[in-house]
Amino acid sequence: MHSDGTESPAQVMAAAHRNGLRTAALTDHDTTSGWAEAAEAATSLGMTFVPGMELSARHDWRSVHVLAYLIDPDDPDLRAMTDRIRSSRLDRARVMADRISRDYDLAWEDIVAQTGQDATVGRPHIADALVARGLVRDRAEAFSSILSPGGDYYVALYAPDPVTAVELVVGAGGVPVIAHPAGRAGLLPEPLMERMLQAGLAGFELGHRENMPEATRVLRRLSAERDLIVTGSSDYHGLGKPNQPGENTTDDEMVARIFERATGSAPVHP
Ligand code: AMP
């Protein structure tokens, strides 16, 4: 991964292959820089590679992740937005590090040491630095304590509103799907979802361990009524999360619909 997973794109594809997957996507936060390595690794293992990205968005205080399958990686508007998000992520990580270092023995260099070259910096890298310093046990503890949005050290990152995010993905020929849309934060407000659908939102990632059953049922009904695309994915992060490749999958019919709808880039077959 080239964002906040602990494995390289090739290792992620190898893990998918070990777990029996025939098709796998790489959806790093706000970057496509891992595609070439992942495509090479996946196809050499006989798998189809689906290029993707997870675009950061924000609605009021809450972060919304828009999966962007088969986008044109050189689309200028989308590139400008991801450049802006990534640079703001870096500034934000520095401010959070400053705040944390007032109370804990943590330096900016500790975070840099946890961040791969060209990686999209996020709280997971700060979490890894806190773990390396022995200040917390693991990422989960870091997220529920020092890095929590309610805490003194948290800084929100810049991200476009979810409708703009969908427009950008559609403009880049991609297929936008809301990631883990039924998580603990609850469903997005209906009018917002409606505006996202009007803008070209293709569907929802309903197979994800963070989705809650009742909210998932609501979106499943909506998806059936509106003939939307429904996906499932593991959100594998290597050692960064317990998620395992293949714990959720996307039906062949839905994969085919994503392939048909996209004009930005193509799946890479073995
Ligand atoms: P950020 O975008 O920098 O605010 O960080 C959010 C990212 O951290 C999410 O996209 C997840 O990949 C990851 N994350 C959130 N909560 C946890 C957790 N409890 N354990 C590990 N990773 C997490």
Side-chain angles (χ1 to χ4, degrees):
M1 284 196 183
H2 280 193
S3 54
D4 58 11
T6 60
E7 296 182 346
S8 68
Q11 287 172 319
V12 172
M13 292 301 127
H17 183 254
R18 270 199 307 280
N19 283 25
L21 295 179
R22 289 172 287 135
T23 302
L26 187 78
T27 55
D28 276 311
H29 290 284
D30 310 310
T31 183
T32 61
S33 63
W35 285 9
E37 182 187 323
E40 167 71 32
T43 52
S44 73
L45 292 165
M47 292 194 304
T48 294
F49 173 65
V50 183
M53 190 173 76
E54 191 171 7
L55 181 61
S56 302
R58 214 170 114 187
H59 174 65
D60 296 335
W61 52 269
R62 83 184 256 190
S63 91
V64 178
H65 292 160
V66 178
L67 292 160
Y69 292 110
L70 299 167
I71 42 172
D72 171 1
D74 297 319
D75 179 82
D77 293 335
L78 185 57
R79 273 304 269 260
M81 181 56 82
T82 52
D83 285 350
R84 182 171 175 190
I85 295 170
R86 284 160 53 79
S87 118
S88 115
R89 278 178 165 280
L90 191 59
D91 296 342
R92 170 251 203 171
R94 279 182 182 278
V95 177
M96 284 187 70
D98 274 353
R99 291 186 183 179
I100 295 168
S101 67
R102 284 182 212 140
D103 294 333
Y104 295 93
D105 183 16
L106 183 87
W108 176 243
E109 290 67 38
D110 296 321
I111 296 160
V112 173
Q114 300 297 330
T115 310
Q117 214 189 351
D118 292 337
T120 301
V121 187
R123 281 182 293 157
H125 302 105
I126 309 179
D128 291 346
L130 291 166
V131 174
R133 279 263 164 215
L135 296 164
V136 293
R137 217 173 28 247
D138 52 23
R139 280 191 181 185
E141 189 185 333
F143 271 90
S144 62
S145 59
I146 300 172
L147 302 179
S148 154
D152 292 342
Y153 311 111
Y154 183 80
V155 179
L157 54 84
Y158 165 78
D161 72 85
V163 176
T164 303
V166 167
E167 286 168 352
L168 285 165
V169 175
V170 171
V175 182
V177 170
I178 306 185
H180 39 78
R184 278 185 197 290
L187 294 176
L188 289 172
E190 234 179 274
L192 175 63
M193 279 203 281
E194 200 52 58
R195 283 192 294 125
M196 292 174 80
L197 286 166
Q198 297 284 325
L201 178 69
F204 301 106
E205 182 191 52
L206 294 189
H208 189 288
R209 61 161 66 204
E210 286 165 29
N211 285 334
M212 300 285 150
E214 183 49 40
T216 304
R217 271 194 289 278
V218 171
L219 291 182
R220 203 171 285 288
R221 251 193 324 269
L222 176 71
S223 301
E225 278 165 21
R226 309 279 282 264
D227 194 26
L228 304 175
I229 291 174
V230 168
T231 67
S233 21
S234 65
D235 204 1
Y236 178 60
H237 276 64
L239 297 176
K241 283 184 174 181
N243 311 26
Q244 289 306 308
E247 66 177 33
N248 289 289
T249 54
T250 302
D251 291 348
D252 288 348
E253 181 218 331
M254 294 296 174
V255 173
R257 282 177 63 178
I258 292 173
F259 290 179
E260 270 162 31
R261 193 166 165 142
T263 55
S265 61
V268 188
H269 298 290

